């Protein structure tokens, strides 16, 4: 385990190879679903930036990128339950095919909020992809259209996901066992 990983008690959950293979598969599925139509791919900041950049490179479609900022967690390991938009899209989505790209769905509150917010702007089609999904933590009836991996109700870091804005640069996903 690398120097940074040894600072928190954590264990590897999903390695680089598995992530790359699954992201490629998801890209192929989304390519098929796009049926040669263009797509606005929305990166939900900050945690999905790494997944997003790999996923859009696996999608063979005419993609325009946009970014949304959303806050729900702060520095804590548990959701505050409150979701707010901290950065809005640059361009309108009315009549467009939109793919929301999220790092992880935990309670589902963030994605439910974003789905409702974007659906109100009348896109042609609104799809969602999440790298990780915690079914046991779900507090809404939200389920992403495309899921990379289902995981248990544990706190994970790496591959863009943080703890106190650190560990995003781990190339794999790790479960945090305990804090020092
Ligand atoms: P939800 O609204 O579904 O409860 O939470 C979504 C957001 O909470 C994610 O975008 C992510 O920022 C954060 N989150 C949820 N679970 C985890 C986790 O296990 N690790 C990290 N680093 N962030 C998480």
């Amino acid at each position: 385990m690398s120097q940074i990983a040894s600072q928190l008690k954590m264990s590897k959950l999903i390695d680089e190879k598995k992530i790359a293979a699954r992201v490629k598969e998801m890209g192929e599925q989304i390519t098929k679903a796009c049926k040669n139509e263009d797509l606005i791919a929305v990166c939900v900041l900050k945690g999905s930036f790494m997944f997003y950049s790999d996923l859009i490179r696996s999608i063979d479609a005419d993609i325009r990128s946009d970014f949304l900022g959303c806050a729900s967690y702060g520095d804590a390991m548990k959701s505050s339950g409150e979701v707010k938009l901290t950065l809005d899209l640059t361009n309108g989505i009315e009549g467009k095919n939109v793919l929301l790209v999220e790092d992880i769905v935990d309670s589902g509150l963030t994605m439910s909020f974003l789905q409702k917010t974007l659906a109100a702007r009348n896109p042609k089609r609104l799809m969602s992809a999440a790298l990780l999904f915690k079914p046991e933590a779900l507090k809404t009836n939200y389920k992403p259209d495309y899921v990379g991996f289902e995981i248990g109700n544990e706190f994970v870091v790496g591959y863009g996901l943080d703890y106190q804005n650190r560990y995003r640069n781990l190339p794999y996903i790790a479960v945090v066992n305990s804090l020092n």
Side-chain angles (χ1 to χ4, degrees):
M1 195 146 283
S2 70
Q3 202 188 342
I4 57 159
S6 66
Q7 292 172 27
L8 261 190
K9 286 203 173 71
M10 59 173 81
S11 41
K12 201 182 271 193
L13 182 68
I14 311 170
D15 68 24
E16 294 95 310
K17 274 192 180 168
K18 275 196 186 145
I19 296 172
R22 185 70 190 116
V23 172
K24 191 166 171 281
E25 274 174 9
M26 293 172 83
E28 286 163 2
Q29 287 171 349
I30 295 166
T31 302
K32 277 190 195 147
C34 284
K35 296 180 184 140
N36 294 324
E37 290 188 26
D38 53 5
L39 181 69
I40 299 181
V42 176
C43 175
V44 182
L45 296 169
K46 299 175 185 171
S48 71
F49 74 95
M50 211 172 273
F51 170 49
Y52 178 85
S53 60
D54 285 341
L55 183 67
I56 62 169
R57 280 180 286 177
S58 302
I59 302 173
D60 186 9
D62 185 2
I63 291 184
R64 271 169 291 162
S65 286
D66 213 332
F67 299 85
L68 264 185
C70 204
S72 63
Y73 261 65
D75 276 349
M77 297 219 306
K78 284 210 171 132
S79 174
S80 63
E82 280 174 43
V83 183
K84 60 180 179 187
L85 217 56
T86 53
L87 175 76
D88 206 346
L89 298 175
T90 309
N91 296 303
I93 56 166
E94 190 169 347
K96 313 277 188 202
N97 295 308
V98 177
L99 175 71
L100 261 176
V101 182
E102 173 73 308
D103 51 356
I104 185 164
V105 175
D106 182 283
S107 66
L109 289 166
T110 305
M111 282 301 256
S112 297
F113 168 82
L114 291 179
Q115 285 262 339
K116 271 187 215 138
T117 305
L118 297 195
R121 299 178 189 181
N122 299 317
K124 181 175 176 190
R125 184 174 176 194
L126 185 54
M127 296 175 280
S128 57
L131 178 69
L132 303 170
F133 181 54
K134 297 183 191 173
E136 289 163 35
L138 206 59
K139 290 189 188 139
T140 63
N141 55 10
Y142 175 77
K143 174 137 201 251
D145 299 308
Y146 301 94
V147 171
F149 303 94
E150 289 198 358
I151 62 168
N153 197 0
E154 297 165 305
F155 192 82
V156 291
V157 294
Y159 193 63
L161 287 141
D162 74 314
Y163 173 64
Q164 296 187 341
N165 210 20
R166 295 168 64 203
Y167 309 105
R168 294 193 196 273
N169 60 322
L170 286 178
Y172 51 85
I173 291 164
V175 175
V176 177
N177 301 316
S178 68
L179 299 170
N180 285 335

